[in-house]
Amino acid sequence: MDTFEDSNPFDEDGENIQSEASSASKVDLSDPPSPTRQPPSSPLSRPFPSPGSHKQPQVAFKSDFCCARDRILHSGEDIEILITDAQKTSINSTSPYISYVILTGNTEAHHRYSEFESLRANLVKLYPTLIIPPIPSKQTLGDYAVKQAKAKEDAAMIARRKRMLQTFLNRIAKHPILSNEHVFHRFLDGEVSWTEVLNSPPLSLLPKNILKAPSHNPTDQNASPAYAALPNPSAAHPLRHPDQRFLDSEAFTNKFANHVSGPMEKVTRRVIKRWSDHAQDHADLGAALNGFSLNESSDLSGAIEKTGQAADATYMSTTKLLQELEQNWAEPLHEYSQFASIIKKLLAYRHQKHVQYEMTQDGLESKREQLEDLEKSEKEARRLEDALYRGKVDGSKSIPGPGPPREGQDPNVEGEQETEAEASSPSAYLTPHPGPNPVRRRTKAPGMGLLNALSYTLHGMMDVDPETARRNGITKTRESISQLEDALHLAAQDLKYSSSTIQADLDRFQRQKVADLREMAISMARSHRDWCKKNLEAWEEAKKEIEKIPDHPNSPAPPQDPSVGVGSSNGVRRDSTATINGR
């Protein structure tokens, strides 16, 4: 199991997975749902998820729909799930909470944050080999300490959650496999109770430990009982034969996580803070200039007022820039730091599956060695038993049987001679058959001490026949070996499926990441360009108004034409320095 073949479940041909069965026998895996072709997004739609992040091979549109939401999502049109509002309500609750209004086509649903959280948690269990998109983080204890009762009603936090929860839903809707999940469709249905969904199949069939369930279908109730024999390894358990592909993926993910959640987020927070201070400074400057313009008159007052308006325009454009940086740069960056943590857990699951395979392999080898030792002991015991039996038979044949007493011989003397003959025969010195000998124990028990008497009593209670125990051990060991062979086959099947599916989803995620980072950079550049244009227009108008102010009598003369002499009398003020130097 050192190397694994590639099998991409996102391809149009879903039978690649079945071809990767174990060499011992074919593995029958359920094919994942066929991906659907996604149409190009409108250039006016929100850039996240990026239109280029979910492009799939050109295949036929989906024709078999499980419900109306499935038909809307796979209709071939560019459908975007929207969160249109966040309402404060207390329906089915003793305390008020924020309910988010979800619009999918013409269908409207209402869900609170904890229901989004349960949706994601159950998708992680249903699809342990896929990258499930993140949702916005919970409020921290610091937020509750500072804002206390108003922490759940913070407008900025609610607006941020609306955007990120909308991104979460759209990422699932554009996923080639997750978009076909009926649990997700029921979440978008406003007429279905989410509590009912959580307590009904398939969610009610999820196992407590997904490591002891099929990777391709954890809710399979017909799964082999051999899954129960699989060990439950730790994510820190080392591998004897690791797969280099996933070692490289883990190293790259750690590097990416350290860079995104470290320098990039810190610099982003610092830049946003400085832009915020910059905007506030211009707001203060604009207010001061507008107030100052009231103390002046004529053209000077208009110029000061225009300058104050330009400062106000800079404040407004900078505020808009901050909003765009927050939505199109800071939030996606934080989302990708969450993606890094999700991928780490996904790789840890695959690592545990690999460890599970190796531990099952080791357990099987140990049981086989144990069976070999027991069979050797059984063979040796039978050989000794046969030897004892043959010796006893041979000894009985060599001793003549009792005949009629000879003349002049006492019958009692003859009996004593026979007894001596039996004592001198080889069979009299043979070891008795191993097993309990209660008569012998009873004769020795009265002369034992306290401890020996206790041991005698315990052994009498157990009364274990070594031969029977050995044969029972052989039977149980053979049963364990058969179960472990089935478990090893299942572990190999799960490892192959997990490796191929995780690798395929990592490739899809890499394409999505590149497209999203490109959109983030373009969005930032576009925001700065628009900021510069608006500021330039405002300050150009202020400049025109400033140019209308007449020159002060003591203001410096305008620059002269070099062709005109210094001393020429053309109405231009003479340069006193030139006059002094030309003296």
Side-chain angles (χ1 to χ4, degrees), residues 505-516:
D505 211 25
L506 285 174
D507 294 341
R508 179 199 62 83
F509 173 78
Q510 180 65 20
R511 295 191 296 269
Q512 169 188 308
K513 183 183 69 175
V514 170
D516 283 350

Side-chain angles (χ1 to χ4, degrees), residues 145-161:
V146 173
K147 301 172 185 177
Q148 296 181 357
K150 298 295 182 181
K152 293 183 178 180
E153 302 176 15
D154 182 36
M157 182 272 294
I158 293 174
R160 177 175 175 271
R161 276 191 175 179

Side-chain angles (χ1 to χ4, degrees), residues 523-572:
S523 176
M524 176 183 281
R526 186 183 296 114
S527 298
H528 280 86
R529 181 198 63 188
D530 296 341
W531 177 81
C532 292
K533 282 184 176 180
K534 292 179 180 178
N535 290 341
L536 181 61
E537 293 173 0
W539 287 103
E540 286 286 353
E541 292 179 3
K543 179 182 176 182
K544 293 177 181 178
E545 196 68 27
I546 292 171
E547 289 176 348
K548 294 179 181 179
I549 301 175
D551 293 338
H552 193 270
N554 296 330
S555 61
Q560 299 182 15
D561 188 348
S563 61
V564 180
V566 177
S568 60
S569 58
N570 54 358
V572 180

Side-chain angles (χ1 to χ4, degrees), residues 321-332:
L321 174 65
L322 279 169
Q323 293 175 351
E324 293 176 351
L325 287 178
E326 179 72 23
Q327 296 177 21
N328 300 331
W329 179 263
E331 288 176 8

Side-chain angles (χ1 to χ4, degrees), residues 151-362:
K152 293 183 178 180
E153 302 176 15
D154 182 36
M157 182 272 294
I158 293 174
R160 177 175 175 271
R161 276 191 175 179
K162 282 176 57 179
R163 293 190 297 268
M164 296 194 72
L165 290 175
Q166 178 175 308
T167 300
F168 165 72
L169 295 176
N170 280 286
R171 287 197 186 280
I172 295 178
K174 291 177 173 62
H175 195 283
I177 294 178
L178 297 176
S179 60
N180 297 295
E181 177 54 51
H182 189 53
V183 172
F184 174 61
H185 303 157
R186 299 180 75 185
F187 185 83
L188 301 177
D189 188 353
E191 298 180 358
V192 175
S193 170
W194 183 242
T195 304
E196 179 184 345
V197 176
L198 294 176
N199 296 319
S200 60
L203 300 186
S204 61
L205 301 178
L206 284 170
K208 294 182 179 179
N209 188 354
I210 59 174
L211 289 174
K212 294 191 175 184
S215 298
H216 61 281
N217 186 9
T219 60
D220 186 7
Q221 297 300 295
N222 298 321
S224 172
Y227 276 105
L230 292 174
N232 189 22
S234 167
H237 196 287
L239 287 170
R240 292 197 311 271
H241 305 290
D243 191 336
Q244 188 61 40
R245 293 181 303 169
F246 293 100
L247 290 179
D248 295 341
S249 296
E250 187 176 355
F252 178 80
T253 302
N254 290 331
K255 185 177 179 181
F256 177 75
N258 293 334
H259 191 70
V260 171
S261 61
M264 290 189 70
E265 281 199 325
K266 289 180 181 178
V267 170
T268 298
R269 286 194 298 267
R270 190 163 63 244
V271 167
I272 289 178
K273 182 180 183 303
R274 291 182 177 177
W275 276 113
S276 179
D277 295 340
H278 178 78
Q280 188 60 45
D281 291 343
H282 278 81
D284 297 341
L285 177 61
L289 289 174
N290 290 330
F292 181 52
S293 66
L294 300 176
N295 299 327
E296 297 296 333
S297 60
S298 66
D299 296 333
L300 182 59
S301 175
I304 296 175
E305 185 179 5
K306 274 293 182 182
T307 305
Q309 291 175 359
D312 290 338
T314 301
Y315 160 72
M316 296 176 64
S317 63
T318 306
T319 302
K320 184 178 179 181
L321 174 65
L322 279 169
Q323 293 175 351
E324 293 176 351
L325 287 178
E326 179 72 23
Q327 296 177 21
N328 300 331
W329 179 263
E331 288 176 8
L333 198 64
H334 177 69
E335 183 188 23
Y336 269 96
S337 68
Q338 291 178 294
F339 265 121
S341 300
I342 292 169
I343 293 175
K344 286 181 182 179
K345 293 179 181 178
L346 192 68
L347 294 175
Y349 170 81
R350 190 252 162 218
H351 177 91
Q352 287 176 292
K353 277 294 181 181
H354 197 163
V355 173
Q356 197 175 54
Y357 170 80
E358 291 188 347
M359 291 178 68
T360 306
Q361 208 172 30
D362 294 342

